[in-house]
Amino acid sequence: MSSGIYFCDAKGKLLLSRRYKDDIPISAIEQFPYLLIEKEQESNVIPPCFSHNGVQYLFIQHNDLYILTLTRSMYANVAQVFSFLHTLVDVLQEYMKVVEEESIKDNFVIIYELLDEVMDSGIPQITDTKMLRQYITQKSFKLIRSAKKKKNVVRPPSSLTTAVSWRPEGIKYKKNEAFLDVIESINMMMTQQGQVLRSEILGKVKVRSRLSGMPDLKLGLNDKGIFTQSNEEEEDEPSSQPSITRKKSNIELEDLKFHQCVRLSKFENEKIITFIPPDGDFELMSYRLSTPIKPLIWCDAKIQVHSRSRVEVHCRAKAQIKAKSTANNVEILIPVPNDADSPKFRYSHGSIKWVPEKNAILWKIKSFPGGKDYSMAAEMGLPSVNDIADYNFKRPVQIKFQIPYFTTSGIQVRYLKINEPKLQYNSYPWVRYITQSGEDYIIRM
């Protein structure tokens, strides 16, 4: 895939490199600064990949660095290359905290060691920092050597020689627990009249594993229909509770991604999620669901400018969720004119403050029960003399919130079975649900 990895400064001058193949001369990277200037002069924008004299240049920018790879292949998987370069930055940040020109110069020894492990002959190998930390340490920057051997020979950690490379052996806990969080972020764009223009659900299933030995976990979700479209009826697994017969939903998850520990063949054939978890925190799966949903937290904000001297803001917010649910840490950011000042507030619940650096009013409601609606009003002065037509509010109202014990898609965990064949210990799985606003939950003004 790659002939080498190169780190260059802000001008494109080489700082550090690791060449895996000799098919590209060193003069190719020496041409990089001049090619950057040439590309910028051509279109004022430097493309992330270009070709010169049969060499493909693919790079990303991070802080004051260019991190790039060179290849002669016209069939290189560009998406894989960029994904690897971004992952490489994440690995370096785990070791150096900040990846910039000075840190590259100060830590070239450990960078060379990492480059030898993350790629072999131009093909990505190990990028999991939990595995890398077993034999590349921050203090010594040297490989851990085997003390039991007569010869001081560098040997790979046991995790690289077993089938479960992401989990070392010999892990022990006094109390064996597994915490599972189902987190769904809602992105939504609405008009002032309440029409939903766009909505999506971004879901993640995160796991915190505190389990001894080499446990095997089996995760059961409430409905196989979330993976396969069907109208057939299915019955829950036998249990001590009365059986429930339900129709399979027509929900279809998009962009479904799993952690490498999940047995994909088992999932593809039987739609069952089984895995041996890494130790600690990790993201088991993620998904996206594009489906029309109603606004969970809605607000009707109206802004009126009076005779170029003052502006009034009226806002009514409503929690359009079930009465038994509660939205926590609700924040409603309402835009106001740039020159507004001297605010006066009236409100029924929460707290309000003026945020001049954002030219907005921030209304915070710590606890917002379902079905309730609250209101606020603000009056602000307009010291500058502008025409009323100048105040066209193009900035949207932004809303943030968290709703515990609730998922918008309806996904629920039916069971999380934990089996450790050797130790046979009692384990305690914990499951938590959170629905929250995404980065793009807005109402157009």
Side-chain angles (χ1 to χ4, degrees):
M1 182 188 79
S2 172
S3 294
I5 301 296
Y6 304 86
F7 293 82
C8 300
D9 62 14
K11 296 182 179 179
K13 185 179 179 181
L14 182 64
L15 298 173
L16 182 149
S17 68
R18 174 63 172 92
R19 300 178 67 192
Y20 301 100
K21 299 178 182 179
D22 296 326
D23 57 336
I24 297 178
I26 193 64
S27 59
I29 192 63
E30 295 174 351
Q31 291 292 320
F32 185 61
Y34 307 103
L35 294 174
L36 288 178
I37 297 174
E38 179 183 325
K39 297 297 180 182
E40 189 172 12
Q41 290 175 347
E42 287 179 358
S43 59
N44 293 327
V45 177
I46 303 174
C49 55
F50 55 82
S51 178
H52 179 72
N53 291 339
V55 178
Q56 316 302 320
Y57 293 76
L58 300 96
F59 64 89
I60 63 172
Q61 290 180 270
H62 183 80
N63 292 334
D64 56 353
L65 294 172
Y66 286 99
I67 305 172
L68 68 154
T69 181
L70 306 183
T71 179
R72 284 195 179 276
S73 173
M74 294 293 294
Y75 304 99
N77 189 330
V78 178
Q80 185 183 33
V81 171
F82 286 125
S83 176
F84 171 79
L85 293 178
H86 284 290
T87 303
L88 177 61
V89 172
D90 294 339
V91 170
L92 295 178
Q93 285 178 331
E94 286 288 327
Y95 281 85
M96 303 187 301
K97 304 303 180 184
V98 179
V99 181
E100 57 186 21
E101 181 178 346
E102 286 300 319
S103 62
I104 294 295
K105 292 178 180 179
D106 294 340
N107 296 279
F108 67 92
V109 174
I110 191 171
I111 293 174
Y112 275 122
E113 291 186 354
L114 288 169
L115 291 176
D116 283 338
E117 302 302 330
V118 299
M119 183 168 279
D120 184 18
S121 300
I123 300 175
Q125 297 295 315
I126 309 167
T127 56
D128 190 333
T129 53
K130 291 183 179 179
M131 294 172 55
L132 292 169
R133 284 189 183 279
Q134 294 182 50
Y135 55 99
I136 299 181
T137 65
Q138 287 179 307
K139 293 182 180 180
S140 65
F141 303 134
K142 294 180 180 179
L143 294 175
I144 294 177
R145 300 180 182 276
S146 176
K148 297 182 180 180
K149 301 294 180 181
K150 294 182 179 179
K151 295 182 179 180
N152 198 14
V153 180
V154 177
R155 298 184 181 276
S158 59
S159 61
L160 297 182
T161 59
T162 63
V164 187
S165 59
W166 55 86
R167 183 182 179 91
E169 297 181 356
I171 297 175
K172 292 183 179 179
Y173 287 97
K174 290 183 178 180
K175 187 177 181 180
N176 294 281
E177 297 178 310
F179 302 87
L180 192 147
D181 289 342
V182 181
I183 303 173
E184 292 190 342
S185 300
I186 309 299
N187 287 324
M188 183 177 292
M189 180 183 292
M190 299 158 279
T191 65
Q192 197 172 9
Q193 292 72 33
Q195 180 185 2
V196 178
L197 302 177
R198 174 176 56 82
S199 64
E200 68 173 1
I201 302 171
L202 301 178
K204 294 181 180 180
V205 178
K206 294 186 176 181
V207 178
R208 173 175 292 182
S209 173
R210 297 291 185 268
L211 301 171
S212 305
M214 199 67 67
D216 202 322
L217 276 63
K218 182 179 180 181
L219 174 64
L221 299 177
N222 61 322
D223 199 337
K224 293 181 181 179
I226 63 174
F227 300 121
T228 56
Q229 290 188 324
S230 175
N231 289 320
E232 298 176 4
E233 293 187 348
E234 73 165 352
E235 187 171 290
D236 286 346
E237 283 194 354
S239 64
S240 57
Q241 301 295 329
S243 62
I244 301 174
T245 302
R246 63 184 69 170
K247 286 189 176 181
K248 290 185 179 180
S249 65
N250 287 327
I251 300 174
E252 184 177 9
L253 303 184
E254 306 171 37
D255 297 338
L256 188 61
K257 298 178 183 178
F258 290 104
H259 189 273
Q260 62 175 332
C261 66
V262 176
R263 299 181 180 94
L264 293 181
S265 59
K266 188 83 170 176
F267 173 77
E268 290 174 358
N269 295 329
E270 304 178 27
K271 303 304 177 186
I272 297 175
I273 302 174
T274 60
F275 58 98
I276 297 176
D279 186 43
D281 300 350
F282 68 100
E283 185 177 299
L284 178 66
M285 62 177 282
S286 64
Y287 56 89
R288 180 171 64 88
L289 183 59
S290 299
T291 182
I293 55 177
K294 71 174 185 178
L296 302 178
I297 303 296
W298 163 253
C299 74
D300 181 15
K302 296 180 180 179
I303 302 176
Q304 294 179 320
V305 179
H306 298 280
S307 65
R308 296 177 294 180
S309 62
R310 63 188 179 91
V311 59
E312 287 188 2
V313 179
H314 297 271
C315 182
R316 186 175 68 90
K318 184 176 182 179
Q320 300 185 146
I321 53 180
K322 294 181 179 180
K324 64 180 181 181
S325 298
T326 301
N328 298 328
N329 303 318
V330 178
E331 295 185 4
I332 302 175
L333 193 68
I334 307 169
V336 296
N338 297 346
D339 54 351
D341 62 4
S342 305
K344 297 178 182 179
F345 302 126
R346 302 189 309 274
Y347 51 94
S348 59
H349 285 79
S351 63
I352 298 180
K353 68 176 181 178
W354 178 38
V355 188
E357 63 272 16
K358 295 184 178 180
N359 297 312
I361 295 171
L362 181 60
W363 184 15
K364 291 185 177 181
I365 304 173
K366 189 174 182 180
S367 180
F368 203 158
K372 298 289 185 179
D373 61 275
Y374 302 137
S375 60
M376 60 79 65
E379 182 176 318
M380 306 182 74
L382 295 174
S384 61
V385 179
N386 291 324
D387 189 9
I388 297 178
D390 294 339
Y391 295 112
N392 53 343
F393 300 97
K394 294 183 179 179
R395 291 179 295 148
V397 175
Q398 300 178 3
I399 304 177
K400 295 182 180 180
F401 58 86
Q402 280 191 347
I403 307 174
Y405 318 113
F406 172 76
T407 57
T408 310
S409 67
I411 290 181
Q412 291 186 350
V413 176
R414 288 167 57 194
Y415 58 84
L416 180 61
K417 297 179 180 179
I418 303 172
N419 178 38
E420 214 298 329
K422 293 183 179 179
L423 302 179
Q424 295 289 332
Y425 51 72
N426 293 324
S427 54
Y428 305 93
W430 303 88
V431 181
R432 181 174 60 173
Y433 304 94
I434 299 175
T435 291
Q436 61 187 15
S437 57
E439 297 180 357
D440 194 21
Y441 192 100
I442 60 177
I443 300 175
R444 285 183 174 178
M445 297 294 292

